[in-house]
Amino acid sequence: MLRLLAAAALIIFTMPLQSFEASKQEMPFDFKVIPQAGSESMEIELLLGNTANYPLSFEFRTSQFYEVEIFNQKGEKVYSSSEGKAFLQAIQTIAVKPDEIKVWKEHWDYRHKGKRVKEGKYIVRARLLASNLNGKGLETKAESEASVFIPGQNPAFRHVEVTGENGLYTISLEGRPKSGKLWYTVEDGHNELQGEKGVSALSNDWENFKIKINIPADKLPENGSVILHLYEKSHEDGHIINSFPVILERR
């Protein structure tokens, strides 16, 4: 009987440790990079999710928690999230509960060495820089990779800035509509929130435009995005050309 009790006690004591070590080897978390390419910039989301049934404590040697790098098709690095930044040289800790997801965001304006990069496919690579997990060293760094297509520069619209919320928005931009007029509508991805309106240009060169939008509260989506579509129309047949979508608000 004493031998049985001792064996049972040994099992009860050692099982949690074995389970933890097995989970450690299988990396009890997810680390993903999700790039979203817009007309003038890219938003990069980094997700750190706890897939275990116990809390995770990530330890970092500095205040830099991750590194994001972007490469063109030639393998040349065109962006680094740490370039030009200074980081606190002190131990940092991040706690993530079971089923919780920690989110970081980076933005890139498509510029490399002072110039906008060319249209095409790019590779985004992210690396989590945690040195310890729950007090134990991480021998390998978690990494994630994704491909993304960066569009070419729009010939008619650039430098768009949005202020406002809840249906009231002000959009400042530079435009060069060759047709002499820019057009726009507002929608939520499914429904039109504001019908087509036009604004005349003063010249064929780049000039500043300011557009004010007022969407009634009962028309706004409860969950979703309010999107402004800028465009011009061709002289020949009136078809939409140089379309330029702008997210006014995510709700």
Side-chain angles (χ1 to χ4, degrees):
M1 177 63 70
L2 290 176
R3 289 181 180 179
L4 290 174
L5 290 174
L10 180 62
I11 292 172
I12 292 171
F13 179 74
T14 59
M15 278 299 289
L17 294 178
Q18 291 171 355
S19 175
F20 178 80
E21 288 301 320
S23 297
K24 274 286 299 318
Q25 293 174 6
E26 296 169 5
M27 297 181 72
F29 61 90
D30 282 331
F31 179 66
K32 294 181 181 179
V33 60
I34 304 177
Q36 297 180 359
S39 300
E40 292 190 301
S41 64
M42 181 187 301
E43 182 176 271
I44 306 161
E45 283 193 338
L46 299 113
L47 309 180
L48 176 61
N50 184 348
T51 59
N53 59 2
Y54 48 84
L56 298 179
S57 178
F58 295 86
E59 187 176 288
F60 301 80
R61 292 192 175 97
T62 72
S63 60
Q64 183 184 9
F65 300 139
Y66 56 82
E67 174 71 17
V68 178
E69 296 176 323
I70 302 177
F71 301 84
N72 61 21
Q73 295 183 62
K74 295 180 181 179
E76 300 168 333
K77 183 164 63 176
V78 296
Y79 172 80
S80 168
S81 61
S82 62
E83 185 175 352
K85 296 179 181 178
F87 299 96
L88 181 65
Q89 302 299 305
I91 298 296
Q92 308 287 311
T93 302
I94 291 179
V96 186
K97 300 175 183 178
D99 297 322
E100 184 182 6
I101 298 177
K102 171 68 177 177
V103 180
W104 293 285
K105 290 184 179 181
E106 289 285 326
H107 290 85
W108 179 39
D109 62 2
Y110 297 150
R111 302 190 72 79
H112 174 56
K113 295 182 178 179
K115 296 182 179 180
R116 193 186 195 277
V117 297
K118 295 180 180 179
E119 174 181 355
K121 181 179 177 181
Y122 289 76
I123 300 298
V124 181
R125 293 175 184 158
R127 184 168 69 257
L128 185 70
L129 300 181
S131 58
N132 291 281
L133 174 61
N134 284 7
K136 295 185 179 294
L138 283 173
E139 296 181 2
T140 59
K141 297 290 187 291
E143 297 182 344
S144 180
E145 180 177 302
S147 62
V148 63
F149 185 87
I150 293 178
Q153 188 168 19
N154 193 293
F157 308 103
R158 69 182 185 185
H159 301 165
V160 179
E161 296 182 0
V162 178
T163 58
E165 60 183 357
N166 299 325
L168 296 175
Y169 314 101
T170 299
I171 302 93
S172 301
L173 67 130
E174 290 184 15
R176 186 178 58 180
K178 294 299 183 182
S179 62
K181 196 171 188 177
L182 67 83
W183 301 84
Y184 64 91
T185 61
V186 181
E187 64 175 57
D188 62 6
H190 303 283
N191 305 303
E192 187 175 80
L193 305 179
Q194 181 170 298
E196 183 180 70
K197 290 189 176 183
V199 180
S200 296
L202 300 177
S203 69
N204 289 326
D205 202 357
W206 291 105
E207 62 182 276
N208 296 319
F209 292 86
K210 184 169 286 187
I211 299 172
K212 292 185 179 291
I213 303 292
N214 187 348
I215 307 295
D218 59 354
K219 281 191 174 183
L220 293 172
E222 292 185 7
N223 296 291
S225 297
V226 181
I227 305 167
L228 171 76
H229 286 282
L230 291 166
Y231 54 91
E232 60 175 323
K233 298 180 181 181
S234 67
H235 281 299
E236 293 76 16
D237 51 19
H239 284 175
I240 290 176
I241 58 174
N242 299 328
S243 180
F244 192 102
V246 180
I247 296 178
L248 301 180
E249 183 179 14
R250 288 190 175 92
R251 299 175 59 82

